[in-house]
Amino acid sequence: MSRRDEGLVEELKEVARRIGLKVREETLLREVGYHVRSGRCRIRGEDVVIIDRNLPAAERLQVLLDAVAGRDVETHYLTPALRQLLERRSVSAA
């Protein structure tokens, strides 16, 4: 587990909260008959990002990057490493 990724996950969770996304880390159960995965959804009119806490830090980071991508984060302070990740994500999505 990369400490760098863990730090970026924590920073991105805070940024997500500041832009109006509720972030929940839960243990997602995997049972026969359905496939669950982390991601963004709406619950009772609220934007929520649900992250499987059993995922490695790099995968949790990708879930959060997907959830925040395309949202206005320019008014929020981001470390250079996180800003670079978000810029790369937006370039690859275009």
Side-chain angles (χ1 to χ4, degrees):
M1 174 176 357
S2 167
R3 284 186 180 200
R4 176 183 177 270
D5 287 347
E6 281 293 336
L8 289 170
V9 166
E10 292 305 314
E11 180 183 358
L12 198 48
K13 283 184 348 187
E14 182 56 35
V15 169
R17 287 182 187 108
R18 284 188 264 152
I19 63 172
L21 295 170
K22 183 176 182 180
V23 178
R24 292 173 35 183
E25 286 192 86
E26 300 181 5
T27 301
L28 299 180
L29 301 176
R30 288 165 177 77
E31 294 183 14
V32 175
Y34 64 95
H35 174 75
V36 295
R37 61 188 174 122
S38 300
R40 191 176 77 190
C41 62
R42 281 186 79 70
I43 300 174
R44 295 187 184 114
E46 188 174 36
D47 286 327
V48 180
V49 181
I50 299 175
I51 303 169
D52 186 345
R53 72 171 38 127
N54 293 323
L55 290 175
E59 290 182 40
R60 287 184 282 134
L61 181 60
Q62 291 304 314
V63 170
L64 286 164
L65 286 169
D66 289 343
V68 172
R71 300 229 178 194
D72 182 21
V73 295
E74 292 301 316
T75 59
H76 301 280
Y77 173 77
L78 304 173
T79 61
L82 183 55
R83 186 167 299 280
Q84 184 179 24
L85 283 173
L86 285 170
E87 287 171 359
R88 271 195 227 145
R89 171 67 98 212
S90 65
V91 167
S92 67

